[in-house]
Amino acid sequence: MSFLPFTRPAIDEETITGVAEVLRSGWITSGPQVKAFEAALSKLCGGRPVRALNSGTAALEIGLELAGVGAGDEVITTPLSWVATANVIVQAGARPVFVDVDPATRNIDLAKMEAAIGPRTKALLPVYLAGLPVDLDRLYSIAASRKLRVLEDAAQAFGSSWRGTAIGARGDLVAFSFHANKNITTAEGGAIVLPSESDVAPCEKLRLQGVTRSGEDGMEVDVAGGKFNLTDVAARIGLGQLPRLAEFTAKRRALARRYFARFDRSLGCGLPPEDFENSNWHMFQVVLPERFPRAQFIARMREAGIGVGVHYPAIHLFALYRRLGFREGQFPNAERIGRAIATLPLFPAMESADVDRVCDAAAKILSKAHA
Ligand SMILES: *Cc1c(COP(=O)(O)O)cnc(C)c1O
């Protein structure tokens, strides 16, 4: 039986042909493909302005800058995310203020988030782990009443929605990632959804060295922008992916349903919330029983030909964040989940028989632990 990875991108032949055409065209960096990709993304985001970038991290960095986050500011976020979420806050010279997650959703606990708002708080940075959004109505009512900016880390939530509205189609700043493992990919890439047309010019400046066309020689630079533009090669991959978004999401949901039907609940694992309305099912993650070492589970699953991922260890326990003053015991839910969470295989090319195989292998490995 062939090895089943925890994820695998689905690039079709039409996309590969299209990429070859871009490569032969003579224009391979940012150009017409990027423009077309941005227009297609904007359409999916309710017509709001969207700019393509070379990573989701770039979208978070530019988002913080557009939100006016700088030295001395605090940004409230979750410790249970990819480390990029917190690193961008540190990079901006601001201080990450972590609050614990809700153990049911594994996302930032909005009541704790509200309680953590202080005089230095500038922005809220929620993460939609595994594609499950937080309660956006509540999030934005808190942000509005406390006059705070919101930067949504929707890196994993492209194709998710909140009560019928696509993530990105409402709200403040929204960051997406198109990394190879995400639901839609450009190999590496990302995008930012902007709240207003007036953010477009500042965003474009930050994207490419601060250059504008306003100067006397047709070029001016007034901010030290970065190098965050997407290539046409990558954008063409994205254009091949977008028409398949609905199909990918439907397939992921069907596979997740199969997991709920087949996963043995007597094993003592924590399962994700059964959300088939909002989540794009970026991942299917179980929290292993405390007594079972995760490394052993991953090794035994690998022996059975199945890849298992770890997303993610709690950020505040990394050396950098300990140096910033964080310590063990501050966010017990994130710490416990971060130690025991395991990402099971879930990607559009999988079949329900693959899910059954994963469930059978997990049951065999975890039930032996009882003996
Ligand atoms: C993938 C990811 C990012 C970063 O995206 P890149 O494209 O890898 O830079 C940020 N936050 C979360 C939650 C992610 O999953």
Side-chain angles (χ1 to χ4, degrees), residues 1 51 58 67 90 102 129 133 143 153 167 188 216 239 247 251 254 260 267 303 318 322 332 341 348 354 367:
M1 216 179 299
R51 286 299 175 269
V90 177
D102 171 341
L129 193 69
D153 182 344
I167 296 300
E188 297 282 1
E216 263 184 35
L239 282 166
E247 168 204 335
K251 186 68 188 287
F260 283 112
L267 298 169
E303 283 163 25
F318 289 130
R322 287 181 188 267
I341 200 163
D354 296 316
S367 63

Side-chain angles (χ1 to χ4, degrees), residues 139-196:
L139 170 69
Y140 278 102
S141 105
I142 294 168
S145 71
R146 308 299 290 267
K147 296 193 165 47
L148 297 172
R149 296 299 302 267
V150 176
L151 171 58
E152 299 178 38
D153 182 344
Q156 302 183 2
F158 193 73
S160 298
S161 57
W162 178 250
R163 295 190 176 143
T165 302
I167 296 300
R170 62 173 280 191
D172 197 349
L173 297 150
V174 182
F176 291 120
S177 166
F178 305 121
H179 173 265
N181 284 355
K182 303 302 201 293
N183 287 28
I184 290 291
T185 187
T186 58
E188 297 282 1
I192 185 160
V193 188
L194 303 167
S196 141

Side-chain angles (χ1 to χ4, degrees), residues 55-58 60 81-82 84-85 127 153 155-156 177-179 182 188-190 282 312:
S55 74
T57 305
L60 293 171
S81 180
W82 174 229
T85 304
V127 175
D153 182 344
Q156 302 183 2
S177 166
F178 305 121
H179 173 265
K182 303 302 201 293
E188 297 282 1
H282 173 58
Y312 299 93

